[in-house]
Amino acid sequence: MQDHGTFFRDAEPKAREAGILPPDSYDFYKALFEYHSARFSAYRALIPGLSVTEAPAPPVLAPGSVTLNEEASRALAEGLRDLVDIVARFNTGMSLEALRSAPAEGIARIAIDAFLSRDMEPLSGAASGYRIGFDELVFVALNWLKPFFAAIAATVRERVKDDEWFKPACPVCGYFPDMARITAAGEGRRHLHCALCETEWTYPRIQCAICENTNAELLGFLVEEGNARHRVEVCDSCKGYIKTVVIPKFQEPGSVDLTVENVLTAGLDAAAMEKGYSRP
Ligand SMILES: [Zn+2]
Ligand SMILES: [Zn+2]
């Protein structure tokens, strides 16, 4: 898992100057990204004792693949408490107090299988049970479990052969991509980036990253004036979009953090949605 906090700090002065995020949200993201790094280290230490069943073909993880032991349940409960604290500290407008007394292990089980199956219905039930907004619960669950899945992904990633998997779902966890990158140095290859476990995988250039449509006439992209670094690839078959970072020839792909780029390109989401596109 990349150290998002460092990338975010480096990008902060420019982003503030350009007014990319509300001024009071930078400290929240710094705390959130530091949280990811700290939890990633904590979960990595648990991985050897965790029972993970790998599917014979990608995605490597399927619903039921991850069995929580006592240690993992305790670590996840601690992770949830820390995250609820961060959200409470920064006036995010979210009220998650009900999660403080909730049985973390139960929510973890529901959320893990909801993400692995991409079926969010069980989380919707949990949200009304705790009187939390559905979007808020998904946001919290995603950020809570992201370092946990990233720790698992780090150990199983090598099972996936990059040139045998050209699907829009993550080959490790099956979840949706949140960003793409095109690397000039890598012969213009496109990679998708998992919104959950942060695995990156190769994906065809001329193919919708949501519905797999390959009809070039229905594919296009939106650009922002004066911004050659980003574009939004859109599909008129499914009306989906994905934000893309174009990495120039002399820049290493590792010098770009797509999780941070996703946060700092909120304006592109607004532009795409205004034109009638949405993302899963
Ligand atoms: Zn993934
Ligand atoms: Zn599409």
Side-chain angles (χ1 to χ4, degrees):
M1 189 179 209
Q2 283 172 297
D3 181 3
H4 305 316
T6 301
F7 282 93
F8 189 80
R9 276 173 198 280
D10 288 349
E12 184 183 355
K14 260 191 166 166
R16 276 191 189 267
E17 208 180 292
I20 286 177
L21 297 174
D24 57 356
S25 63
Y26 290 91
D27 288 342
F28 169 68
Y29 281 111
K30 275 184 273 186
L32 182 66
F33 289 143
E34 275 159 21
Y35 166 84
H36 286 162
S37 290
R39 296 315 302 173
F40 178 68
S41 304
Y43 298 138
R44 276 213 87 164
L46 296 176
I47 296 298
L50 196 68
S51 158
V52 176
T53 315
E54 293 170 30
V60 177
L61 305 177
S65 278
V66 181
T67 310
L68 298 178
N69 56 19
E70 206 177 299
E71 230 187 339
S73 296
R74 211 178 312 122
L76 284 169
E78 186 182 277
L80 182 60
R81 266 198 313 274
D82 289 356
L83 183 56
V84 170
D85 282 345
I86 291 170
V87 169
R89 204 170 353 127
F90 288 97
N91 262 325
T92 52
M94 288 187 259
S95 174
L96 305 171
E97 290 309 309
L99 288 180
R100 281 191 202 281
S101 49
E105 191 185 336
I107 308 177
R109 279 181 206 284
I110 294 171
I112 286 170
D113 281 347
F115 288 130
L116 292 179
S117 63
R118 301 210 287 188
D119 173 10
M120 298 295 147
E121 197 50 42
L123 274 182
S124 159
S128 43
Y130 293 108
R131 300 192 187 176
I132 296 171
F134 171 66
D135 289 345
E136 291 174 354
L137 186 60
V138 172
F139 174 84
V140 168
L142 192 78
N143 281 289
W144 173 32
L145 296 175
K146 174 185 272 289
F148 181 68
F149 276 111
I152 298 175
T155 67
V156 302
R157 174 67 180 91
E158 62 191 30
R159 311 269 196 288
V160 181
K161 289 199 179 62
D162 211 24
D163 52 359
E164 289 174 5
W165 180 257
F166 296 111
K167 301 276 180 202
C170 171
V172 170
C173 75
Y175 201 62
F176 302 102
D178 57 359
M179 289 291 285
R181 66 174 164 90
I182 291 172
T183 316
E187 294 154 359
R189 285 229 274 188
R190 173 154 77 144
H191 288 80
L192 303 185
H193 174 266
C194 176
L196 181 61
C197 76
E198 304 195 341
T199 293
E200 292 186 8
W201 68 100
T202 309
Y203 193 74
R205 272 288 280 273
I206 316 294
Q207 183 165 322
C208 172
I210 294 106
C211 75
E212 301 179 61
N213 157 46
T214 53
N215 180 351
E217 281 175 25
L218 295 172
L219 297 168
F221 57 86
L222 314 173
V223 286
E224 249 177 355
E225 219 186 293
N227 179 358
R229 187 177 158 75
H230 299 110
R231 64 195 204 190
V232 183
E233 312 216 332
V234 299
C235 169
D236 282 315
S237 179
C238 69
K239 285 286 171 188
Y241 76 89
I242 188 158
K243 295 184 292 183
T244 303
V245 183
V246 182
I247 304 174
K249 213 168 191 150
F250 299 106
Q251 207 184 333
E252 284 294 314
S255 65
V256 171
D257 183 324
L258 293 178
T259 298
V260 171
E261 295 275 350
N262 187 25
V263 169
L264 293 176
T265 50
L268 291 175
D269 292 291
M273 286 190 272
E274 204 172 282
K275 291 207 152 54
Y277 298 102
S278 61
R279 62 176 182 182

